[in-house]
């Protein structure tokens, strides 16, 4: 069997293993094996193939992997769904108390409850959405 084919098989096995581990290390080794397969196809002798694999693997694991992990593990910048409503302003449609009420958030009406159960928020006031509990907005007046 040709050496380039062996390196290609090694690259494929490492890439498949990376899919299950998600560590990025095996992916970098797979890339090194792929580069080495190319060098073997060109006709580099076996000792130089191992040297190419070692150099490329070292460079990718030490330098490329940390950059890739930083991008993958970066905290989510934008909030979606009901999480995006937290912190937004809302307009009180019907009186909001600790037991219930209605507010309008971005054009949609939501059931609402006052964050402080002793508060009574009259219609027409602007409130901040403190959290979303199920389909109920927990709100607090801006005043």
């Amino acid at each position: 069997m040709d050496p380039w084919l062996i390196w290609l098989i090694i690259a494929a096995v490492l890439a498949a293993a990376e899919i299950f581990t998600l560590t990025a290390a095996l992916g970098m080794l797979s890339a090194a094996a792929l580069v080495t397969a190319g060098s073997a196809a060109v006709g580099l002798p076996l000792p130089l193939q191992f040297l190419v694999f070692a150099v490329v693997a070292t460079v990718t694991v030490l330098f490329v992997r940390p950059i890739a992990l930083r991008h993958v593990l970066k905290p989510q910048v934008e909030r979606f769904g009901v999480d995006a409503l937290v912190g937004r302003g809302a307009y009180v449609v019907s009186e909001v108390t600790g037991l219930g009420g209605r507010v309008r958030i971005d054009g949609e009406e939501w059931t609402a409850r006052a964050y402080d159960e002793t508060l009574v928020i009259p219609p027409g006031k602007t409130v901040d959405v403190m959290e979303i509990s199920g389909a109920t907005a927990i709100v607090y007046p801006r005043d």
Side-chain angles (χ1 to χ4, degrees), residues 89-106:
Y91 177 79
V92 177
V93 176
S94 67
E95 184 177 82
V96 176
T97 65
L99 299 175
R102 307 277 299 165
V103 296
R104 180 166 289 132
I105 308 170
D106 288 341

Side-chain angles (χ1 to χ4, degrees), residues 36-103:
T36 307
S39 68
V42 171
L44 237 53
L46 192 59
L48 289 179
Q49 291 175 25
F50 283 119
L51 181 65
V52 167
F53 179 77
V55 168
V56 173
T58 302
V59 168
T60 56
V61 169
L62 290 180
F63 298 109
V64 177
R65 182 176 180 260
I67 295 169
L69 287 179
R70 254 188 311 228
H71 287 283
V72 170
L73 300 176
K74 192 183 331 182
Q76 188 175 3
V77 177
E78 292 191 33
R79 296 179 298 173
F80 296 96
V82 293
D83 290 335
L85 298 177
V86 175
R88 289 230 176 132
Y91 177 79
V92 177
V93 176
S94 67
E95 184 177 82
V96 176
T97 65
L99 299 175
R102 307 277 299 165
V103 296

Side-chain angles (χ1 to χ4, degrees), residues 99-124:
L99 299 175
R102 307 277 299 165
V103 296
R104 180 166 289 132
I105 308 170
D106 288 341
E108 295 181 349
E109 273 198 32
W110 283 72
T111 57
R113 226 174 42 236
Y115 186 73
D116 180 358
E117 294 181 4
T118 61
L119 287 176
V120 175
I121 308 167

